[in-house]
């Protein structure tokens, strides 16, 4: 189900064809799925993502003349040439915003970084809600950290990559994707406190419980994604202000009914989602700690209902995938990531993974949707050096 990534030797060979000579090294960063804790990160809340066995790789060589040369196998074969001192928000278009933005954000933070030659390739699907942009930013961040001897810890690189996305690429995301890509370890999900960036590894052994975590990529991304995300974020921030709180994370569950009663009708469901979703993260971690991995299923489905009915970020395709997966024997399923399309995760007894996949594919065909792309989510290692 997973495509074969370029080997380090293949990446190095392509680098040599493009730029001559050899790269100083090859670094990588993975995409992610979020198990539970959606739209909580920009409310200073909690999430439980894990890294995927799909990565973006960067073969990189430091240059001391300030030139940044970028090539991606997904970028149409062209080499983009930029000058690091001239980088500024609004000056770079398309996919190159993410690597260029990362270099800009490092420089802006006062780190002594200059140019580089970069060759990028990736097996993280784009537009699938699996954080291909965070994987790209984080792969460049770890490469630059090594090329320029910065020695920055994961959370600091994550904040820098988030700043690249917010201020340079113009996407008002939270920090969950970057933290997952940088700080996850193999065999575990990542408990993340988005306020402090405190994090800890939560062992997540699917095989020991005869489970498969399927990722069903609906292959749709509805247009309103960007504007709607910003509007939801603004709505949450307004609700927090009205409640006199620094962020919605500060609203305890037992004060929820009283808080909802005092809020405008448009904001109350957003607040209910965020507060109940933070509680679901804590519950999921308690279940995993107790070895009750199968009981995660109903919690995932409850999370989906909250995203569908309160937060309103699901869509016909993700709802159909969730309902069909559960009807076909999945223990639970939910959309993952920002929403308005993208991917659904389904926690499935391993023996039923094929049946669930077939049921969703058949239901999509009947509804006139394109067949979903399916991959298996295995908790994988966060960003690092490959060669
Ligand atoms: C996107 C954003 C994240 C997070 C999720 C929703 O993936 O990039 O920061 O807000 O949506 O949980």
């Amino acid at each position: 189900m997973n495509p074969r990534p370029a080997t380090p030797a293949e990446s190095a060979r392509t680098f040599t064809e493009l730029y001559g000579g050899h790269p100083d090294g090859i670094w990588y960063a993975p995409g992610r799925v979020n198990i539970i804790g959606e739209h909580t990160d920009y409310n200073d809340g909690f999430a439980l993502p894990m890294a995927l066995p799909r990565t973006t790789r960067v073969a990189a060589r430091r240059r001391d003349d300030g030139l940044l040369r970028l090539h991606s196998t997904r970028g149409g074969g062209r080499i983009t040439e930029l000058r690091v001192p001239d980088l500024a928000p609004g000056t770079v278009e398309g996919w190159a915003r993410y690597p260029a933005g990362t270099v800009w954000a490092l420089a802006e933070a006062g780190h002594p970084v200059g140019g580089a030659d970069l060759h990028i390739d990736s097996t993280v699907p784009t537009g699938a809600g699996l954080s291909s942009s965070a994987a790209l930013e984080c792969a460049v961040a770890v490469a630059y950290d090594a090329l320029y001897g910065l020695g920055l810890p994961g959370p600091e690189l994550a904040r820098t990559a988030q700043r690249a996305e917010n201020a340079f690429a113009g996407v008002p995301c939270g920090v969950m994707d970057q933290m997952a890509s940088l700080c996850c370890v193999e065999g575990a999900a990542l408990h993340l406190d988005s306020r402090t960036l405190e994090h800890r590894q939560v062992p997540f052994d699917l095989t020991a419980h005869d489970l498969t975590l399927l990722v069903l990529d609906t292959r749709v991304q509805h247009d309103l994604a960007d504007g709607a995300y910003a509007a939801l974020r603004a709505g949450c921030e307004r609700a927090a202000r009205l409640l006199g709180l620094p962020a919605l994370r500060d609203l305890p569950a037992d004060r929820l009914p009283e808080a909802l009663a005092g809020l405008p009708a448009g904001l109350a469901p957003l607040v209910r989602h965020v507060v109940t979703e933070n509680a679901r993260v804590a519950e999921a971690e308690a279940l995993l700690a107790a070895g009750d991995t199968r009981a995660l299923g109903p919690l995932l489905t409850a999370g989906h209902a909250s995203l569908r009915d309160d937060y309103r970020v699901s869509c016909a395709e993700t709802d159909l995938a969730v309902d069909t997966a559960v009807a076909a024997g999945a223990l639970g399923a939910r959309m993952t990531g920002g929403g308005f399309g993208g991917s659904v995760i389904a926690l499935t007894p391993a023996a039923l993974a094929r049946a669930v996949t077939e049921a969703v594919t058949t239901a999509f065909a009947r509804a006139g949707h394109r067949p979903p792309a399916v991959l298996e989510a295995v908790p994988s290692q966060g960003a690092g050096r490959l060669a």
Side-chain angles (χ1 to χ4, degrees):
M1 276 199 277
N2 288 323
R4 186 181 76 78
T7 63
E10 286 165 345
S11 291
R13 199 174 319 128
T14 309
F15 181 97
T16 302
E17 282 161 20
L18 290 163
Y19 300 119
H22 299 285
D24 292 336
I26 302 173
W27 289 266
Y28 75 95
R32 63 98 190 90
V33 287
N34 189 17
I35 300 166
I36 194 86
E38 216 68 85
H39 290 280
T40 49
D41 60 353
Y42 52 81
N43 291 301
D44 278 2
F46 301 94
L48 191 66
M50 56 173 254
L52 288 173
R54 296 286 191 110
T55 60
T56 294
R57 289 164 301 279
V58 178
R61 179 176 57 204
R62 175 177 165 149
R63 305 177 59 103
D64 290 320
D65 60 359
L67 197 62
L68 175 62
R69 296 199 290 181
L70 304 169
H71 174 270
S72 163
T73 48
R74 290 174 171 174
R78 274 189 319 113
I79 294 176
T80 301
E81 291 202 6
L82 302 161
R83 284 188 37 76
V84 175
D86 298 340
L87 291 175
T91 58
V92 184
E93 300 271 291
W95 67 271
R97 286 175 301 161
Y98 299 101
T102 303
V103 175
W104 168 82
L106 284 168
E108 269 266 306
H111 301 298
V113 294
D117 292 330
L118 307 180
H119 160 61
I120 298 157
D121 80 284
S122 182
T123 56
V124 187
T126 54
L130 302 176
S131 293
S132 60
S133 54
L136 178 49
E137 293 148 12
C138 294
V140 172
V142 288
Y144 255 73
D145 185 67
L147 290 179
Y148 283 92
L150 305 179
L152 297 172
E156 205 168 328
L157 290 175
R159 280 283 184 229
T160 308
Q162 183 198 10
R163 178 150 163 73
E165 186 139 352
N166 291 170
F168 201 90
V171 182
C173 65
V175 75
M176 179 215 357
D177 305 341
Q178 292 78 8
M179 280 296 290
S181 188
L182 287 158
C183 297
C184 278
V185 306
E186 196 177 335
L190 186 81
H191 163 89
L192 170 64
D193 179 335
S194 302
R195 170 171 282 164
T196 60
L197 299 196
E198 273 165 353
H199 55 284
R200 104 183 145 258
Q201 309 301 333
V202 179
F204 190 40
D205 189 346
L206 291 156
T207 318
H209 296 270
D210 282 329
L211 294 171
T212 299
L213 189 65
L214 290 172
V215 181
L216 304 155
D217 168 13
T218 65
R219 299 166 74 205
V220 294
Q221 193 65 56
H222 292 288
D223 285 348
L224 47 141
D226 285 354
Y229 184 94
L232 289 163
R233 185 174 178 156
C236 288
E237 285 163 2
R238 187 162 154 246
R241 273 197 305 278
L242 290 172
L243 293 167
L245 300 169
L248 291 184
R249 178 255 182 77
D250 300 300
L251 182 62
D254 60 357
R255 279 190 47 213
L256 182 61
E258 165 205 341
L260 293 180
L263 282 171
L267 296 183
L270 301 185
V271 175
R272 185 165 50 222
H273 168 73
V274 172
V275 173
T276 59
E277 185 77 349
N278 277 328
R280 279 186 286 274
V281 174
E283 213 181 313
E285 287 175 18
L287 291 172
L288 289 177
D292 203 358
T293 306
R294 298 173 86 88
L296 270 185
L299 207 57
L300 300 186
T301 310
H304 186 75
S306 180
L307 289 162
R308 182 190 61 211
D309 302 335
D310 274 346
Y311 223 68
R312 295 178 175 259
V313 290
S314 77
C315 63
E317 293 88 347
T318 46
D319 291 347
L320 181 63
V322 166
D323 293 346
T324 309
V326 171
L331 301 170
R334 61 181 284 274
M335 52 150 279
T336 189
F340 307 105
S343 296
V344 159
I345 53 170
L347 185 69
T348 306
L352 291 179
R354 184 185 287 262
V356 168
T357 303
E358 284 173 5
V360 175
T361 306
T362 305
F364 267 45
R366 281 209 190 108
H369 304 320
R370 285 199 295 164
V374 183
L375 58 117
E376 188 182 335
V378 179
S380 301
Q381 185 65 30
R385 186 171 189 154
L386 262 186

